[in-house]
Amino acid sequence: MSYFESVPQAPADGILKLSVLSKADASSQKVDLGVGAYRDDKGKPWVLPVVRKAEARLHQDPASNHEYLGVGGHPALTGGAQTLIFGADSAAVQQSRVYTMQTISGTGANMVGAVFLRQFKQPQSASVYISKPTWGNHRSIFETAGHEVREYRYCDYSTLTLDIAGMLEDLRAAPRGQIIVLHACAHNPTGIDPTKEQWEQIAGVMAEQGHFPFFDCAYQGFATGSVDDDAFAIRLFASRGFEMLVAESFAKNMGLYGERTGCLHAVVKRPELLPRVSSQLNRLSRATISTASAYGAKVAGIVLQDPELYQEWLENMQTMSSRIMEMRKLLRARLEELRTPGDWSHVTSQIGMFSFTGLTTEQVQKLRAQYHLYMTDDGRISVAGLNTANIDHVAMAIDAVVRNAKF
């Protein structure tokens, strides 16, 4: 008998499985709306011009090397990321109540934070609450770290808008002191974000119930085109005195997908707590990755610390976010021109890379089999996969399956 005889087959990852199916499809009509990465109007990956400049500067630096980073990461990245998330005028930063460490992108930040909380959460019986629905990896990360994972209502599936009443009711009903995972902006997979007024309500209930916020911020600046607007919720919670963890990724907003560049931020109530918290986070990082990867951190650090490149980066993000907004408008317009049954206003009211279309699993499977359109089974599409060359095919295919017809 094998030592591994008792190992069961793990459930297939929906996104990775979809990617395999898409790559195997040789049809000229194929449109991949599953991949969570930005594409230009020709459907190609886009290396940000500002990233090209930062890379050139790094390559031309005679002092550049491949030495290990310190356990906390690259200071130019962590310092710049801290200011980016909390703002230059943040009281928490000015009072030395924030520790920032480099991680293996946002996923690594989530996992380090999850393991840290499993060891030190108060009370130890606290569960982790994730939105229904949420990014597919959230449940896996927190369960792997040893937490019980529960859900709070988020999407109103009848209108494809935020179920703010249900969300607040669930947060109030949860036992005191639970860990609540919140998407800072561009909610994945729905694209549904609370308004500023709704964030105030959420913060109020969280404070009443003594809940601990764990923000996941994968799209700052990429959602609205404004790094400040996209950080509103985090800065609101910080200004109200919350202790919290924040996972941050530079995959989407700098296009550093494969470089795995991210940070984990810890906000504490008093400065004297920070050395203990940072020591434990560093210990966990050392035990899992030893030190973080250098290349993407150095590129991002150059962009964040150079005023001219930073401004160009903001403009690059505007280019990406504006194209995605334009694709939303075009898709909605095409569907309404076709008189596709249903209300398609949610396509433009949602925000960020993803749109929750409301298509059923059966309709999604028909789109895949008959029209070579690839999206997740829950009907989520990556709007970045749309372009002026494929938008008509996508709209007509959606119209056909909604009508249960074929063009």
Side-chain angles (χ1 to χ4, degrees):
M1 177 180 286
S2 168
Y3 185 85
F4 302 105
E5 203 70 47
S6 64
V7 178
Q9 181 72 35
D13 183 288
I15 299 295
L16 298 182
K17 180 181 178 182
L18 187 68
S19 179
V20 171
L21 292 173
S22 175
K23 287 178 180 177
D25 187 341
S27 172
S28 61
Q29 289 187 315
K30 180 180 71 178
V31 181
D32 190 341
L33 301 178
V35 63
Y38 181 78
R39 297 290 182 260
D40 65 17
D41 197 50
K42 295 180 179 179
K44 302 297 184 183
W46 189 53
V47 179
L48 276 61
V50 72
V51 167
R52 292 283 195 208
K53 291 180 180 179
E55 288 181 308
R57 187 179 297 183
L58 181 61
H59 295 159
Q60 293 162 9
D61 182 358
S64 180
N65 57 57
H66 298 285
E67 294 294 298
Y68 291 121
L69 297 178
V71 71
H74 187 50
L77 169 70
T78 56
Q82 190 177 98
T83 300
L84 183 71
I85 282 284
F86 297 103
D89 58 349
S90 166
V93 172
Q94 293 172 355
Q95 294 165 7
S96 300
R97 295 191 290 109
V98 183
Y99 175 65
T100 300
M101 66 180 296
Q102 187 183 335
T103 59
I104 304 299
S105 202
T107 303
N110 273 275
M111 179 55 85
V112 172
V115 175
F116 172 81
L117 290 175
R118 181 65 185 90
Q119 295 180 13
F120 301 108
K121 63 184 176 181
Q122 298 294 331
Q124 273 292 301
S125 60
S127 297
V128 171
Y129 283 70
I130 57 176
S131 63
K132 183 180 182 181
T134 190
W135 176 46
N137 220 11
H138 274 150
R139 177 177 291 277
S140 180
I141 287 169
F142 287 97
E143 287 184 343
T144 299
H147 296 277
E148 179 184 7
V149 176
R150 300 182 180 182
E151 293 179 322
Y152 59 84
R153 281 172 284 177
Y154 191 85
C155 178
D156 182 334
Y157 290 88
S158 65
T159 61
L160 298 177
T161 58
L162 180 65
D163 182 4
I164 185 64
M167 180 180 181
L168 295 177
E169 183 178 343
D170 287 350
L171 294 180
R172 285 194 180 96
R176 289 186 60 81
Q178 304 301 290
I179 298 162
I180 312 297
V181 177
L182 299 164
H183 297 235
C185 61
H187 184 275
N188 180 4
T190 68
I192 302 167
D193 282 1
T195 64
K196 291 181 178 180
E197 292 74 19
Q198 288 169 336
W199 274 121
E200 294 276 4
Q201 291 177 279
I202 294 165
V205 173
M206 295 269 290
E208 289 170 12
Q209 293 300 109
H211 294 325
F212 182 89
F214 192 141
F215 278 100
D216 193 354
C217 185
Y219 302 94
Q220 187 181 2
F222 193 96
T224 65
S226 166
V227 293
D228 295 319
D229 286 346
D230 289 349
F232 173 82
I234 294 170
R235 295 179 186 180
L236 169 68
F237 275 64
S239 71
R240 295 186 62 158
F242 279 91
E243 294 184 296
M244 59 181 155
L245 293 181
V246 180
E248 178 181 21
S249 168
F250 289 95
K252 308 301 193 292
N253 57 14
M254 279 199 194
L256 295 173
Y257 301 99
E259 303 305 334
R260 314 308 294 141
T261 305
C263 291
L264 177 66
H265 309 269
V267 181
V268 301
K269 194 172 292 293
R270 304 188 311 275
E272 62 268 24
L273 297 170
L274 210 59
R276 285 182 276 163
V277 171
S278 61
S279 72
Q280 292 292 346
L281 289 172
N282 287 343
R283 180 185 64 83
L284 289 173
S285 180
R286 173 68 171 156
T288 52
I289 62 170
S290 188
T291 62
S293 53
Y295 184 76
K298 290 178 180 179
V299 170
I302 290 170
V303 173
L304 291 172
Q305 297 297 337
D306 183 283
E308 185 176 331
L309 293 184
Y310 181 83
Q311 184 58 43
E312 184 175 347
W313 177 50
L314 298 182
E315 294 167 5
N316 287 175
M317 282 193 288
Q318 278 282 354
T319 297
M320 293 188 288
S321 62
S322 296
R323 197 189 85 76
I324 288 175
M325 291 176 190
E326 182 61 24
M327 288 301 105
R328 287 183 177 278
K329 292 177 184 177
L330 282 176
L331 179 60
R332 177 182 175 182
R334 294 290 193 276
L335 291 170
E336 291 179 344
E337 287 167 10
L338 291 166
R339 299 184 181 277
T340 306
D343 179 2
W344 296 98
S345 61
H346 59 273
V347 174
T348 51
S349 66
Q350 295 168 3
I351 195 169
M353 180 176 286
F354 300 112
S355 178
F356 218 44
T357 61
L359 295 170
T360 66
T361 300
E362 181 183 5
Q363 289 168 338
V364 168
Q365 291 171 348
K366 285 184 179 179
L367 286 169
R368 194 180 303 160
Q370 298 177 15
Y371 303 105
H372 307 279
L373 259 62
Y374 290 82
M375 63 185 72
T376 57
D377 287 343
D378 59 6
R380 185 205 79 172
I381 65 170
S382 174
V383 184
L386 297 172
N387 56 57
T388 51
N390 65 29
I391 191 80
D392 288 332
H393 174 69
V394 171
M396 287 189 290
I398 291 174
D399 180 72
V401 299
V402 170
R403 295 179 187 274
N404 200 25
K406 186 174 183 179
F407 68 83

